[in-house]
Amino acid sequence: MIWRRWRNRKNAPGNPTSDLGVGNVPDSHSASCYEGGCFDPPISAAHVLLYGGCVTELLAKAGQRLGMKVEHLLYQSGLHEEPTLPLRSSFDAVLVGFAFRTLVGQSAERLLGFHDADLVYQKNLPYDELLSTIKSLIDQLLSKFQSVFLGKSPVFFLSFIEPPQTSAGLLNARNSGGIYRLSRDINDYMAERLAHIDGAYYLETNDLLRAYGDRDWYDGYEVCYAHSGIHGDTSARSFPAAVMRRVGKVLAVLHQEQPVKLIVTDLDGTLWKGVLAEEDEIIPGDHTEGWPIGYAEALMACKKRGILLAICSKNDEASTRTNFDKVWYGRMRLEDFCSVKINWQPKSKNLFEILKEVNILPENVLFIDDNPLEIAEVIRAFPGMRTLTGDPHVWRMELLYGVPFQTPRMTEESAKKTELIQAKITRDREMAQTDRASYLRDLAMVVDVFPVTHQDDKLYARAFELLNKTNQFNTTGRRWTAEELTRFLGEGGLLYALRASDRLADHGVVGLALLYADRLEQMVLSCRVFGLGLEDALLHRVASMDGATNGVVAKWHETGKNATAKHFLERHFIFEAEAWHLRQLPLFPEHVKLRE
C-alpha cells in the first residue's frame, strides 16, 4: 500500500479542519485550490519510474522534493529506442512523457524527407496526413510500453502541452491547421487509445498549466512552440510539483481506499441561495446564479461517475418540491436524487433512513450543509461521515477533483446507478407489504454466471470496479490493482461474474467470485441486491462448474465492515483447521431463473 488510510482528518498534515470536523480548503482563488482535496490522503512515498526528456527530469526533481522515490530514465521518444524495466526494482507507477518535438520531427521525416521538428506545421502539409502520421507513431510507441510494463505497474502517459490558441496571430485564432489544433487532436487521440488499454492511463496536465498560469511556466512564449518545455522551478508550489501531486492522487484513486458513494445535500443556502419559504416570488436566476450553478454542475458530474445523490432538508415537503422545479426548471430534477427526505425531523434521523434505504456505510457518505450546527448534529450521530460546509465557492472543486469522488473507469452500471438504487427502494417497499416468498416469486429475477477471462472483456471494467468498491458483502476486503488481477487470471485464477435483472431493472454485474482451483479467494455482492438470494445462486454455480468441487475452501478476513459476508459463510461453510470448508453444494434459489 503506497498511502495509509487517513481516518482522523483533524490530525492529517495539510488537511486542517475546524473543531466541527469540517474539512477546510485553501483560498478559493489560489491555484492549489483547483487541485481539490481536503479529504485526500497525504502525499504518498510512491516509488515512481519516469521515462522522458527534460520535462520529466523536472518532474522527477519535484516528486523527490514531495517525498516520493523517483527514478528518471532519459527517453526522447524515438522509434529506435527500446524502453526497459530496471532490474531488481518494482514501482508503484511508471510515468511516461513522449516528446512532442520528436514526434513531429519523425513525422516530417516521413512526409518531407528531412527532420523538421519545429516548423513542419507551417509547411502547408495536408493536415489529415500529418495527424495520421503522428497517430501511427504514437501507436508504435504505446505498443513498446505495453509489451514491457503492462501487468506490472500502472503506466501514466503525460498529455502534450498545448500552446496558445492564438499562435497564428490575433485574427486567426484556432486556425484549422495550427499547432494548437495539432497538439489538441493528438491528446484526444492518445486519451481515447489509453481508455481501452487496461493498466494504462492518460494524465492530463494542461488544465493544471492553465490554473498555474501559462506565461509563468510554459516556455513556448520564448522558445519555439514545438519545444513543449516548462521552466525549471521544482519547488512545492510549482507546476511540476502539481503534476506529481496529481500522480499521487490518481494512484490513490486506483487503490479506492475510502471512496464516496453517496453525497447528501441540504437545500436552502446550499443547493440554492436563500430560504425559499421566505420569498414572495421565486425568480430562478436570483437563487441559482453564481456558485449554486457550479455546485449543481459538480453534483451532476458525480452522478455520472456513479456516485449517488440524496436530499436531506428541514422544510415543508409539498411547497419545497414545487419550488425545486421553479428554481431549476428541468436543469436538475428531484428524480436525479435516489432518496429525498424533506421534513422537520433532525437531519441525523433522516440520514439514518437514507443510509438504510441505499445500504451504504456512513464512512462512504459526504454530507453538505451551509449550517455548522446541522453539521455538528450529524457528526455526533455519525462520527465517520465526511462533511462539508463553509465557503460554497470551493465545493465544486472539491467534488470534481478530490480523490474520494473519482472513479478509474466509467462503466454502464455507474451511469445508471441512481435508477438501480431507486429500483431497490421500490423493491424494499413492496417486500414490506407482502410475505417475502411471494414477493421474491413475483420479482421475476433472472441471472447468468459467466467467466471474465481477460482485461479486454467488455465487462472487465465493471467487475474490477465492483471488486474494489464493495465493503459489506466482501469476504476478504482485498483491493486489487489492475496488474494484480491480470496476473491472477494469467496464473490460472478464475473470475466469475453474476449478472441479474428483474421486472424493475436490469442490474448488470452485481456479484463476483474469484477462485483458484478449489479455493474461493474472494466473493463480493453489490449492496443494492442484498436479500434476494443471489449470493446462493452465485456460490451454487461456481462450486458446481468444471474445475471446482464441493470441497471448496473459502478465504476470510475481518474488515470491521463485512459482517454480512461472514453471515453468508456461516450458513454454507464450517470453520475447521483454520479454514472455511463448504458443507455441501447449496441449492439454487427457486425464485431465481437461470438465463438460457
Side-chain angles (χ1 to χ4, degrees), residues 43-104:
I43 296 295
S44 72
H47 190 183
V48 181
L49 174 65
L50 268 72
Y51 258 97
C54 55
V55 170
T56 52
E57 184 178 9
L58 292 175
L59 298 182
K61 292 179 180 178
Q64 290 165 354
R65 288 194 174 191
L66 291 173
M68 295 179 173
K69 182 180 179 182
V70 185
E71 298 181 33
H72 177 249
L73 294 178
L74 187 63
Y75 177 77
Q76 298 294 356
S77 308
L79 287 180
H80 63 283
E81 296 177 278
E82 297 295 334
T84 58
L85 185 65
L87 297 176
R88 301 182 303 278
S89 295
S90 60
F91 300 93
D92 296 308
V94 177
L95 183 60
V96 181
F98 291 145
F100 182 74
R101 199 178 194 186
T102 304
L103 283 175
V104 174

Side-chain angles (χ1 to χ4, degrees), residues 193-259:
R193 285 277 286 107
L194 293 172
H196 300 287
I197 301 176
D198 194 67
Y201 304 90
Y202 172 78
L203 191 71
E204 185 62 79
T205 60
N206 286 285
D207 55 339
L208 285 173
L209 188 62
R210 302 293 96 88
Y212 275 74
D214 284 43
R215 186 63 180 80
D216 293 331
W217 292 103
Y218 170 59
D219 72 4
Y221 290 91
E222 296 86 20
V223 186
C224 63
Y225 288 130
H227 186 253
S228 290
I230 58 177
H231 295 305
D233 185 357
T234 58
S235 66
R237 300 288 293 179
S238 66
F239 167 69
V243 174
M244 295 308 291
R245 282 195 295 271
R246 177 161 289 185
V247 172
K249 286 166 73 82
V250 294
L251 282 172
V253 171
L254 295 182
H255 282 275
Q256 292 284 290
E257 274 286 307
Q258 282 197 355

Side-chain angles (χ1 to χ4, degrees), residues 20 57 176 302 306 357 463 549:
L20 294 178
E57 184 178 9
S176 60
C302 288
E357 286 180 342
T549 71

Side-chain angles (χ1 to χ4, degrees), residues 19-54:
D19 58 357
L20 294 178
V22 182
N24 294 332
V25 292
D27 171 37
S28 61
H29 300 292
S30 69
S32 59
C33 178
Y34 174 79
E35 300 172 51
C38 76
F39 299 113
D40 289 358
I43 296 295
S44 72
H47 190 183
V48 181
L49 174 65
L50 268 72
Y51 258 97
C54 55

Side-chain angles (χ1 to χ4, degrees), residues 423-532:
K424 174 198 176 300
I425 294 172
T426 299
R427 282 200 314 268
D428 292 345
R429 289 172 181 167
E430 290 182 357
M431 186 182 294
Q433 297 170 2
T434 183
D435 67 279
R436 184 173 185 274
S438 300
Y439 167 74
L440 291 176
R441 285 194 300 270
D442 293 341
L443 195 56
M445 179 68 68
V446 180
V447 304
D448 59 345
V449 178
F450 53 93
V452 178
T453 58
H454 50 79
Q455 63 190 33
D456 295 327
D457 192 297
K458 63 180 181 179
L459 293 176
Y460 177 90
R462 166 56 183 165
F464 186 72
E465 175 190 51
L466 182 63
L467 188 60
N468 282 332
K469 278 194 172 184
T470 305
N471 289 315
Q472 296 177 76
F473 195 110
N474 189 327
T475 54
T476 68
R478 177 179 176 179
R479 301 309 196 213
W480 295 69
T481 66
E483 296 71 38
E484 289 171 339
L485 189 56
T486 298
R487 188 160 55 248
F488 174 78
L489 296 175
E491 294 174 352
L494 301 172
L495 170 60
Y496 289 102
L498 179 140
R499 184 167 47 192
S501 63
D502 58 36
R503 60 178 173 81
L504 295 174
D506 181 353
H507 304 286
V509 174
V510 292
L512 299 172
L514 284 77
L515 284 92
Y516 189 86
D518 289 344
R519 187 171 68 243
L520 182 61
E521 293 282 343
Q522 192 170 3
M523 187 168 166
V524 303
L525 188 72
S526 171
C527 61
R528 67 173 183 266
V529 293
F530 283 6
L532 302 179

